[in-house]
Amino acid sequence: MKESSSNIEEKKRGKKGKKRTLNKKGRFAVATLIGVLIFSLIALFVAIFVPKIKLNGKSVVVVEYGEEYKEPGYSAKYFGSSITDEVKVKGEVDNSKLGTYEIEYKVKKGIFTATKKRVVKVIDSVVPVVTLEGEKTHTLCPLAEYIEEGYSASDNYDGDLTDNVKVEINDDSIEYLVKDSSGNLGSVIRRINRVDNEGPVITLKGSENYYVILNNKYTDPGYSATDNCDGDLTDKVVVTGTVDTSKEGKYTLTYEVLDSAKNQSKVTRVVTVTKQVETNSAVAGAIYLTFDDGPSGSITPQLLDILKEKNVKATFFVINHSSNLDYLIKREYDEGHTVALHSMSHNYSTVYQSADAYFDDLKQIQDKVERITGQKSMIIRFPGGSSNTVSMNYATGIMSYLTQEVLARGYHYFDWNVSSGDAGDVKT
């Protein structure tokens, strides 16, 4: 049976189409092969005829600010031979300025040139330094506010950064932080110990050893108490002990106080009740020679010569004179006489304006005598005497107080019952 003409025609067309498809694939494979071959030839050509540069070390080098950049080195070859000496290097690194720098390496042979590049980064990775003034560990009262002792900050690149410091206050520490322009963070911590280990301070007014005349009234001179954390604690002081002025003897008063941290302080005062010493009474048959307001450059040497000749001892109640006359006070002491205290200024308006003024004046002349003689004198004579009335012009009733207070402080005062009448102006 014969095929129809239409079927035969379709088969012919199918064969022709299939042949055309195989031809296209073949051409693509050939083109690819040729391309690979050409690329390989070019690569081989370059490998043979183009010089080569090799960099030692890394292609990206990091250098710290301020550190010198050290070239890691390089090499170059052409047809297997070294041409390193022909390499030209271009580019500089400024280690005083942060940034990225490029170093170029170039060598030329014939028509061919080889180039390589190295990147150098100058960076700042050093953290700023924060310096604290005062102690790094500070002891503070539990409720007290910390008063800044000071700080400073500096950076190797940015310089002074003190104004950029941030202060963070915590319960038990203070942190100081600062960043430089490169983002490096520097910090330091000051430790705060909130504790109160210090006891209050009790201050007794008057003397710790007080004297009261028998059957006289004892009035406590007073006291005060302060604490480093709590401040004034005077009203918290507890006083124990009694003084019986009807009986002679020594009585101890105790002053105690407790601060809010339970630190306790205690001081005592010993009050001695004694019979009054008759400071102005004379022993029968005895004469006490006393000289006031010296030393005198013209009179005192004569007195000392006479007393030495007669082997008589006297008491010199001195006041302040020129230091050129200090040697006479020393002579009085060395020759066995008593150097007693009269006044530093002998100015009634100064001495008797208040009790504090009197004792300040007395302390000054006492210190001077001790400096000259080496001995602390406790024998005194009031300017004008213990019952003078001139003091009333400056402070009413001051002598009544002073005559008791000097005894309470351990001094002994002496007046006089006979005057030679020789008082007057004497040139020194």
Side-chain angles (χ1 to χ4, degrees):
M1 187 175 182
K2 293 183 178 181
E3 292 184 287
S4 65
S5 58
S6 61
N7 290 336
I8 294 172
E9 192 63 30
E10 286 179 3
K11 288 181 180 181
K12 289 180 179 181
R13 284 199 299 270
K15 289 180 179 181
K16 289 181 179 181
K18 186 175 182 180
K19 184 177 181 181
R20 283 198 295 270
T21 300
L22 291 173
N23 289 337
K24 285 181 179 180
K25 288 183 178 179
R27 285 197 298 271
F28 177 77
V30 171
T32 302
L33 181 60
I34 293 172
V36 171
L37 181 60
I38 293 173
F39 180 81
S40 298
L41 290 174
I42 293 173
L44 180 62
F45 181 82
V46 170
I48 296 174
F49 294 100
V50 176
K52 300 176 182 60
I53 299 175
K54 181 181 178 181
L55 298 181
N56 297 340
K58 298 179 180 180
S59 60
V60 178
V61 177
V62 176
V63 177
E64 191 66 41
Y65 164 74
E67 292 184 1
E68 181 182 359
Y69 166 68
K70 295 181 180 180
E71 172 59 49
Y74 52 86
S75 61
K77 289 186 178 181
Y78 185 65
F79 279 103
S81 298
S82 175
I83 56 171
T84 302
D85 294 342
E86 299 179 37
V87 176
K88 294 182 178 180
V89 182
K90 181 180 178 182
E92 293 182 353
V93 176
D94 184 358
N95 64 356
S96 67
K97 186 177 180 180
L98 304 183
T100 300
Y101 300 86
E102 192 173 79
I103 308 296
E104 183 182 71
Y105 308 81
K106 182 182 290 187
V107 65
K108 185 176 181 181
K109 275 306 210 181
I111 62 172
F112 300 104
T113 300
T115 303
K116 283 256 182 165
K117 292 183 179 181
R118 192 194 309 271
V119 173
V120 180
K121 295 182 178 181
V122 178
I123 67 167
D124 171 25
S125 63
V126 178
V127 300
V129 176
V130 183
T131 303
L132 297 180
E133 295 180 15
E135 300 295 330
K136 284 191 174 182
T137 300
H138 191 87
T139 300
L140 201 61
C141 291
L143 300 178
E145 180 181 355
Y146 172 71
I147 299 176
E148 181 57 56
E149 296 172 89
Y151 55 84
S152 61
S154 62
D155 183 65
N156 65 321
Y157 183 73
D158 297 320
D160 187 6
L161 290 177
T162 303
D163 292 341
N164 295 351
V165 175
K166 293 183 178 180
V167 181
E168 296 182 358
I169 301 176
N170 305 305
D171 289 339
D172 58 354
S173 66
I174 300 175
E175 189 170 10
Y176 305 80
L177 308 100
V178 65
K179 276 187 178 182
D180 63 16
S181 57
S182 298
N184 300 306
L185 177 64
S187 66
V188 69
I189 293 177
R190 193 194 305 271
R191 298 294 177 186
I192 302 297
N193 291 331
R194 294 189 174 275
V195 62
D196 178 13
N197 293 325
E198 186 176 337
V201 176
I202 303 175
T203 303
L204 296 180
K205 296 180 181 180
S207 175
E208 293 181 358
N209 295 295
Y210 208 85
Y211 293 84
V212 180
I213 303 303
L214 186 66
N215 294 319
N216 279 9
K217 180 182 179 182
Y218 169 71
T219 301
D220 195 282
Y223 50 85
S224 63
T226 59
D227 185 65
N228 63 315
C229 292
D230 297 337
D232 188 4
L233 290 178
T234 302
D235 60 348
K236 304 292 184 182
V237 175
V238 176
V239 184
T240 56
T242 58
V243 177
D244 185 356
T245 59
S246 66
K247 295 180 180 179
E248 287 188 86
K250 292 186 177 182
Y251 301 86
T252 300
L253 300 178
T254 302
Y255 305 77
E256 296 180 85
V257 67
L258 201 66
D259 66 15
S260 59
K262 307 303 180 184
N263 298 307
Q264 186 181 43
S265 294
K266 178 173 65 175
V267 298
T268 59
R269 189 198 313 270
V270 176
V271 179
T272 301
V273 178
T274 182
K275 291 181 180 179
Q276 183 173 1
V277 178
E278 296 295 337
T279 58
N280 289 323
S281 63
V283 177
I287 296 176
Y288 296 87
L289 289 178
T290 64
F291 299 93
D292 296 357
D293 302 351
S296 162
S298 58
I299 302 300
T300 303
Q302 297 180 53
L303 289 174
L304 289 173
D305 289 343
I306 295 173
L307 292 171
K308 186 174 183 179
E309 179 184 350
K310 302 300 181 180
N311 193 27
V312 174
K313 304 304 179 186
T315 301
F316 291 86
F317 290 95
V318 300
I319 64 174
N320 185 44
H321 284 291
S322 169
S323 59
N324 293 333
L325 299 178
D326 288 354
Y327 78 97
L328 290 174
I329 296 177
K330 185 66 165 62
R331 181 183 169 186
E332 292 168 354
Y333 178 79
D334 289 343
E335 292 183 3
H337 303 290
T338 299
V339 180
L341 314 175
H342 197 26
S343 172
M344 188 70 175
S345 66
H346 206 272
N347 185 315
Y348 291 99
S349 62
T350 298
V351 173
Y352 292 127
Q353 63 176 294
S354 68
D356 287 341
Y358 172 80
F359 282 108
D360 180 66
D361 179 272
L362 181 63
K363 181 70 164 54
Q364 291 182 57
I365 193 63
Q366 184 183 51
D367 289 345
K368 179 174 182 175
V369 169
E370 185 175 8
R371 175 177 56 80
I372 296 170
T373 66
Q375 185 174 30
K376 185 175 183 178
S377 177
M378 299 296 289
I379 299 174
I380 68 174
R381 172 168 286 172
F382 290 106
S386 64
S387 58
N388 74 81
T389 57
V390 68
S391 60
M392 296 172 59
N393 297 325
Y394 310 106
T396 303
I398 189 170
M399 294 313 302
S400 297
Y401 173 78
L402 289 179
T403 53
Q404 294 294 316
E405 183 63 19
V406 293
L407 295 175
R409 298 191 184 194
Y411 294 98
H412 297 280
Y413 70 87
F414 291 85
D415 287 326
W416 60 92
N417 54 13
V418 175
S419 175
S420 65
D422 62 353
D425 292 334
V426 178
K427 293 184 179 180
T428 59

